[in-house]
Amino acid sequence: MSSSLGVSLVWYRNDLRIRDHQGLSKAIDSNRQVVAYFNFNPNLFKELNMGFKKTGIYRSKFMIESVNDLQLELDKLNISLIIDNCPDGQNLIKKIKKLNVKEIFIQREWTRDEINEEKEVLNKIDSNVKVNYSFEQFLYHPNDLKKKIDDIPNVFTLFRKKCEKDLKVRSLADNPHRLESKNRLSEKYKIPSLNDLGFKEFKLDKRSAFPFKGGGKSGIERINNYLWETKKLSVYKHTRNGLIGIDYSSKFSSWLANGSVSPKMIYWEIKKYENKVIKNQSTYWLVFELIWRDYFKYISMKYRDKIFSIEGILNRKYNWDKSKTKVYEWINGKTKEPFVNSNMLEIKNTGWMSNRGRQNVASYFAKELKLDWRIGASYFESMLIDYDVHSNYGNWMYVSGVGNDPRDRKFNIKWQSEKYDPNMKFQNLWLNE
Ligand SMILES: Cc1cc2nc3c(=O)[nH]c(=O)nc-3n(C[C@H](O)[C@H](O)[C@H](O)COP(=O)(O)OP(=O)(O)OC[C@H]3O[C@@H](n4cnc5c(N)ncnc54)[C@H](O)[C@@H]3O)c2cc1C
């Protein structure tokens, strides 16, 4: 490592980890001084045009914890994480100049806000600074996929079968090695508190099905717990439609969403589990769900900003309602459907909702109340700890009849409630407090 060669900068966004991170490993191999950067951009915490903050309190807390953990992990490698709170690219542009940055390592993104954020910086810096993009967020690498699939099919099953038949999940990136202590910057950067981001501290709701902390360390602990300690993975297919508690599903989504763990880390751990413990429908099904996650990423890559448009990727025109009263009732658990209400109270109080719950409340919002699905999606964006732009907008389009569901179904809420909450345990938990 030599500072005379300039600096390699790792610009962290939704890839908040040190393991299985190509960009970080390459930066370390560059033989330059390595510095990392993360921006708590105030725009992330502002109200959007649908009336909800882009990042609400629960994900903000998770984000703080995740960046805190990243800073500690990088610190062990003698890499400083610069923490910023700049509404545009100005501070980063200055840093790049001041630190004599020669190379930038960044996760490739393609959605509107992320591209704009990038452009603000990368279009204004010296053209000699080399920008290295990498895809860190996929199970199946886009370059491998491109060789086998010309056009992403609009039906998931075709996509999945093609991936399973023709593609291999790549191995993990090498673990990063520790640099000498002189690599560190002299300044130590402080991570903001919830108060700094405009929220009040709060106590975790004891009913929460997601009582976990952000960060790679707790993500890996959760993988170990779900696979090796409790062996819940072995029964995942039978429990995954559950509603109460931490173990009916993996709960990996929040760490995956901000990149504290990678899908490949989970995949290869499942493969080990299949070798050592059991290989069955449940172990397969968790990978199957990770393929859904990839699929929505590829769909958003194919259709770009169309995933945010009211007609969705199908260009379907419906008469959408925008009634503020109906939206208010949905958000606050005051609709005619107790099953919808209980799920809505869960997300309001915890930032979490099960997959079964999400499907029901979204279907009710779009198909029963006939409300503009983007309002619901924007509320989820604000509230969900595990918000991921591709999975959220992809699933909302799917449920609302403007996305990838060839069957365009409407959920029968009463039937769903009787099947998945036959003893009203879940509804009592949220409605009778
Ligand atoms: C309207 C709606 C909005 C959603 N918004 C999001 C979101 O913003 N972020 C998000 O990560 N998921 C979203 N999902 C998908 C799914 O509900 C969550 O991924 C899942 O409930 C997370 O719990 P888990 O980690 O225990 O999942 P598990 O059942 O344990 O599944 C394992 C992993 O597979 C992936 N996965 C599972 N189901 C889906 C799915 N339907 N689509 C995409 N990936 C999936 C997730 O990464 C998940 O962590 C949404 C679903 C609906 C119906």
Side-chain angles (χ1 to χ4, degrees), residues 262-305:
S262 75
K264 284 195 282 147
M265 285 163 70
I266 296 171
Y267 176 87
W268 288 114
E269 209 58 27
I270 294 176
K271 291 293 133 186
K272 250 193 248 166
Y273 186 90
E274 289 184 327
N275 275 329
K276 293 198 172 151
V277 181
I278 192 170
K279 179 176 174 162
N280 63 12
Q281 280 201 333
S282 286
T283 57
Y284 167 71
W285 214 261
L286 206 112
V287 177
F288 175 100
E289 293 298 341
L290 289 175
I291 303 176
W292 262 114
R293 179 179 172 275
D294 259 24
Y295 182 60
F296 283 124
K297 291 196 183 298
Y298 283 111
I299 287 294
S300 87
M301 211 183 239
K302 177 174 170 179
Y303 288 99
R304 305 286 166 138
D305 282 359

Side-chain angles (χ1 to χ4, degrees), residues 226 236 240 248-254 256-257 286 289-294 296 352-356 358-359 362 380 384 386-389 391-393 395-396 399:
Y226 192 71
Y236 168 70
R240 58 180 284 274
Y248 60 81
S249 64
S250 73
K251 306 294 189 322
F252 294 158
S253 53
S254 303
L256 282 166
L286 206 112
E289 293 298 341
L290 289 175
I291 303 176
W292 262 114
R293 179 179 172 275
D294 259 24
F296 283 124
W352 180 262
M353 194 192 292
S354 67
N355 184 52
R356 186 53 43 190
R358 294 180 203 200
Q359 289 179 316
F380 268 35
L384 281 175
D386 69 8
Y387 168 73
D388 165 283
V389 57
S391 288
N392 191 53
Y393 283 85
N395 273 289
W396 267 97
V399 177

Side-chain angles (χ1 to χ4, degrees), residues 1 21 45 105 113 150 186 198 252 340 407 409 414 420 422:
M1 184 267 295
H21 194 296
F45 309 95
F105 295 83
D113 296 352
D150 311 326
S186 50
F252 294 158
V340 169
R407 293 160 294 182
R409 291 163 296 173
K414 292 250 173 330
Y420 295 104

